[in-house]
Amino acid sequence: MRRPVIAGNWKMYKTQAETRAFFEAFRPLVGSAKHCDIIVAPPFSALAAAVDAARGSAVGIAGQNMHWEREGAFTGEISARMLVETGCLGVIIGHSERRQYFGETDETVNRKTKAALEAGLTPIVCVGETLGEREGNLTQTVLKRQFEGGLAALTPAEFSRILLAYEPVWAIGTGRTATPEMAADAHRHLRDLAATRFTAEQASGLRILYGGSVKPDNIKGLMAQAEIDGALVGGASLDPKSFAAIVNF
Ligand code: 13P
């Protein structure tokens, strides 16, 4: 049985004060949740406040991005070991917004994933097709390219430590969720790719999260699919009540 993971990606939302207020309201609502891993990924400036506010709870804190080098002249970037020092356990890598607006590629996803693993972080690696690609029947082709370009160079031991997030770009922030069946189909395809590149056993241990307009009212249907191991939640993770309702699916 794969342990579910519910992760919140706050994107460029919440100051430190707003982060502290979130956790004050959120902690009592998920206090006794033992059925899943809970992750929150605040912006860099609120990471330390989040680590502090989540201390002693079941919530792990993750970054939203990182550079693959250990240190260097890379203005505006931070490294894996900086995230680790701040108290992060994981990091989101290759989110479609990073690919779309900041030029990330499968190659940078690969480098970042390796660097995150080397530093002891759990990478949450994002893949997913655009609307044009889905309508052009290219979903499987795109997922294969992203999987192979971003992850195939990992060793089996490295691969066993990642989380994969399937986030169809057309479902992000649009209120248009993939149906549970559509998401499960994509997850199955990704698991097949993992079985081909690694082993069947590794593929069956891989946790794949769905992301794209996950809300309290659709989480149950998504989690009812055996292929769906959790969710990566954007907008609905900003509100303590709605994120708690998703955690307590
Ligand atoms: P929404 O839940 O706001 O659609 O965002 C999904 C997402 O991009 C999570 O990483």
Side-chain angles (χ1 to χ4, degrees):
M1 230 0 228
R2 295 183 291 265
R3 184 172 164 77
V5 187
I6 303 291
N9 172 13
W10 282 0
K11 308 192 179 184
M12 199 172 74
Y13 290 97
K14 290 199 195 291
T15 62
Q16 297 187 33
E18 288 163 348
T19 298
R20 284 189 284 268
F22 173 92
F23 278 98
E24 206 168 301
F26 181 66
R27 286 183 61 150
L29 302 175
V30 296
S32 53
K34 298 225 161 38
H35 61 287
C36 70
D37 292 341
I38 310 171
I39 300 172
V40 171
F44 290 143
S45 52
L47 284 175
V51 166
D52 195 42
R55 193 163 285 125
S57 77
V59 184
I61 304 301
Q64 296 177 14
N65 179 36
M66 52 166 267
H67 196 277
W68 56 83
E69 292 289 350
R70 184 186 153 83
E71 60 187 9
F74 300 106
T75 302
E77 294 289 327
I78 73 165
S79 71
R81 66 187 192 116
M82 294 170 188
L83 291 176
V84 169
E85 186 195 41
T86 310
C88 290
L89 303 176
V91 59
I92 298 172
I93 291 177
H95 190 279
S96 63
E97 287 150 17
R98 304 266 350 142
R99 295 177 188 254
Q100 197 177 345
Y101 306 127
F102 303 100
E104 296 218 8
T105 62
D106 296 334
E107 159 78 21
T108 62
V109 167
N110 179 250
R111 288 177 163 204
K112 290 180 181 198
T113 304
K114 285 219 165 240
L117 287 163
E118 204 175 311
L121 292 168
T122 299
I124 305 170
V125 181
C126 303
V127 296
E129 80 288 358
T130 63
L131 183 59
E133 289 162 346
R134 174 157 288 262
E135 287 175 344
N137 269 328
L138 291 170
T139 299
Q140 296 208 347
T141 311
V142 170
L143 294 180
K144 183 166 195 270
R145 190 186 67 220
Q146 292 174 337
F147 182 89
E148 289 180 350
L151 298 171
L154 300 183
T155 65
E158 287 171 335
F159 185 74
S160 67
R161 292 172 45 211
I162 72 156
L163 296 172
L164 195 56
Y166 168 61
E167 297 208 311
V169 179
W170 49 270
I172 296 177
T174 58
R176 206 179 141 182
T177 334
T179 63
E181 293 73 23
M182 279 161 99
D185 275 351
H187 286 210
R188 201 169 298 116
H189 180 62
L190 288 165
R191 210 176 292 288
D192 287 347
L193 291 168
T196 305
R197 169 61 187 82
F198 299 97
T199 64
E201 198 188 347
Q202 283 211 281
S204 79
L206 173 67
R207 293 188 288 176
I208 309 178
L209 321 187
Y210 166 78
S213 298
V214 174
K215 308 285 177 214
D217 63 3
N218 59 27
I219 184 68
K220 245 189 167 44
L222 290 162
M223 294 306 290
Q225 293 284 336
E227 273 296 339
I228 301 180
D229 305 311
L232 182 54
V233 186
S237 72
L238 295 170
D239 175 69
K241 280 205 191 91
S242 74
F243 193 48
I246 293 171
V247 167
N248 295 321
F249 63 90

